[in-house]
Amino acid sequence: MYLIDRLDNGIRVVMERIPYINSVSIGIIIDCGSKNENRNNNGITHFIEHMLFKGTKERDAKAIAETIDNIGGVLNAFTSKEATVYYAKVLNNHIETAIDVLSDMVNNSLFNEGDIEKEKSVILEELFMYLDSPEDLAIELLNEMMFEGTRLEYPVIGTEESIKAINREKILYYFSENYISENMIISIAGNIDEKECLKLLKYYFGNLNRKKLKTSDLKVSKTQHKFTNKLNYINKDTEQINLCIGMEGLPITSSKLEALMILNNIFGGSMSSRLFQKIREDLGLAYTIETFPSSFKEAGILNLFLGLHPGQVLKSIKAINDEINQIKKNLISKEELMKSKEQLKGNYVLSMENTFNRMYEMGKSLLVFDRVFSQKEILNRIDRIDMEDIEEVSRVIFNREKFNVAYVGKVDTINDSKIKEILFNEVI
């Protein structure tokens, strides 16, 4: 059972007691991601995530790390396009220490000028690491193409130019606008006493009363997602071509999301999927081939990624196109549907044995839907998917008018016209 409550200052709280384990995961989920940025401050959400580990009025960066390390816990954070999450996982007898540290970071971070300048160098190195990864580059390029002109187009980490332009004034403004009680959810899963936890949260977070500023000039208001055919590339001296095909997906709020996940498993989302078996096992064209959905509140895409020798690109594209045509024409078999349902349910149940996953799933659900779905409800939603749902989803994701292609590698080895002819049905 879940306990959902709200602190007096508006922070929402969700908790689940799991009495048969010794650990607890605590997450502070902020409704703030790169979707809140614009071209001038791109990367600032991720930058602030880093800065909250750099020191508070009571602890310097080393003390923040040591406090959790000394009790054998884990302290970390991540930023996505739609949210920022700070979390700790500790033994249940150290829960107050974890809540204390997390609240100190959120309430009392100093944002010192010197730390900001040092962290710029750290984040730039993180950026350069991604730029050295052709797989990451291809996926990011595809995202920028498909979400162009919308709130989701900006990379989470930012660009070299935008990172260098971040300063303390911009950070304090953005922090005060977004790190407010109405944007926060505290999610806790593990061996806890809910009443004691609620007392601790009121004590450590009850004084947070930041109000949203009236001005919103840094917000991006474009929200219309209109996918069209696009092809783009980045020239890089690599042995392989890292290639992504993007298709329209579904928003996370869609009632057909489970159908998309089932179809994804069958199409390319597992080792037994059609694409993996065809491209890797039968034809031996690529080592890596996979599909995965990216779903957000406003829109979603289905990503197809493969890394392969330039000479195998057109063969692989044709084979992928054949599999798409097969599904469009014949859908899937009832046996495939049943197997994929069991696979999806098994993956979900196993993932929920981890307190971090349970904590994050509860918090994300409360953030998006303002409620928490039980495991039984999720499993029932998967069981209810039928062939009509699969057919409806396949019409969305396999709409050729919305296919996008991004690749990274030696661009002079690739025949763009042939790719467009095969995937977009364009004759050049």
Side-chain angles (χ1 to χ4, degrees), residues 3 5-7 13 15 193-203:
L3 185 150
D5 209 325
R6 188 183 290 266
L7 304 185
V13 176
M15 292 185 279
D193 181 312
E194 294 100 322
K195 290 182 179 179
E196 287 301 314
C197 276
L198 203 54
K199 287 180 183 178
L200 290 173
L201 294 179
K202 288 177 179 178
Y203 177 79

Side-chain angles (χ1 to χ4, degrees), residues 65-119:
E66 281 186 340
T67 303
I68 300 299
D69 284 347
N70 291 345
I71 58 174
V74 175
L75 179 68
N76 213 332
F78 62 89
T79 305
S80 69
K81 287 185 178 293
E82 294 194 311
T84 309
V85 181
Y86 302 88
Y87 65 92
K89 184 173 183 178
V90 297
L91 294 175
N92 63 311
N93 58 312
H94 293 303
I95 186 170
E96 182 170 5
T97 301
I99 291 174
D100 179 15
V101 171
L102 288 168
S103 69
D104 194 25
M105 292 165 60
V106 171
N107 287 314
N108 303 312
S109 284
L110 296 174
F111 303 110
N112 285 328
E113 292 274 11
D115 290 332
I116 291 171
E117 291 307 309
K118 281 191 292 185
E119 205 58 27

Side-chain angles (χ1 to χ4, degrees), residues 221-315:
S221 59
K222 300 175 185 177
T223 57
Q224 294 300 311
H225 296 267
K226 296 180 179 179
F227 301 117
T228 58
N229 287 146
K230 294 177 186 174
L231 184 148
N232 204 353
Y233 54 79
I234 295 173
N235 188 25
K236 198 171 183 65
D237 187 12
T238 58
E239 292 298 320
Q240 282 193 319
I241 293 293
N242 286 263
L243 186 143
C244 289
I245 301 171
M247 313 165 204
E248 182 176 12
L250 297 175
I252 196 170
T253 53
S254 171
S255 62
K256 306 297 181 183
L257 190 64
E258 286 78 16
L260 172 61
M261 296 169 73
I262 288 170
L263 186 54
N264 172 67
N265 280 345
I266 295 168
F267 181 49
S270 67
M271 290 180 66
S272 61
S273 67
R274 292 187 179 189
L275 286 183
F276 190 95
Q277 290 297 311
K278 182 75 171 182
I279 303 298
R280 175 167 163 166
E281 301 298 340
D282 294 347
L283 301 177
L285 296 176
Y287 175 74
T288 301
I289 179 162
E290 61 178 331
T291 62
F292 53 95
S294 298
S295 295
F296 308 100
K297 291 180 184 178
E298 298 167 358
I301 60 178
L302 181 68
N303 307 267
L304 190 162
F305 172 82
L306 66 161
L308 71 176
H309 187 275
Q312 307 284 37
V313 168
L314 288 182
K315 291 180 185 177

Side-chain angles (χ1 to χ4, degrees), residues 199-225:
K199 287 180 183 178
L200 290 173
L201 294 179
K202 288 177 179 178
Y203 177 79
Y204 285 102
F205 284 91
N207 292 327
L208 180 68
N209 281 307
R210 299 188 192 102
K211 298 292 185 181
K212 190 174 182 67
L213 301 179
K214 292 182 180 180
T215 56
S216 297
D217 57 297
L218 292 183
K219 297 292 183 184
V220 180
S221 59
K222 300 175 185 177
T223 57
Q224 294 300 311
H225 296 267

Side-chain angles (χ1 to χ4, degrees), residues 267 274 278 319-332 398 400:
F267 181 49
R274 292 187 179 189
K278 182 75 171 182
I320 290 167
N321 188 61
D322 288 344
E323 292 301 322
I324 290 173
N325 286 337
Q326 280 292 325
I327 292 180
K328 289 181 70 174
K329 182 179 179 180
N330 302 313
L331 285 182
I332 60 175
F398 296 133
R400 295 183 182 280

Side-chain angles (χ1 to χ4, degrees), residues 161-175:
E161 181 182 9
S162 66
I163 292 167
K164 288 180 177 178
I166 291 172
N167 56 38
R168 190 169 190 269
E169 182 181 1
K170 286 183 178 180
I171 287 173
L172 291 178
Y173 178 90
Y174 190 87
F175 183 78

Side-chain angles (χ1 to χ4, degrees), residues 25-33 45-46 48-50 52-53 75-88 102 105-106 179 183 185-187 356 359-361 363-364 367:
S25 291
I26 308 106
I28 314 302
I29 302 173
I30 317 293
D31 187 12
C32 175
T45 314
H46 173 256
I48 288 173
E49 176 220 307
H50 276 236
L52 261 63
F53 288 83
L75 179 68
N76 213 332
F78 62 89
T79 305
S80 69
K81 287 185 178 293
E82 294 194 311
T84 309
V85 181
Y86 302 88
Y87 65 92
L102 288 168
M105 292 165 60
V106 171
Y179 279 64
N183 283 355
I185 288 173
I186 301 174
S187 181
F356 169 81
M359 173 276 293
Y360 182 56
E361 190 70 22
K364 185 173 68 172
L367 183 68

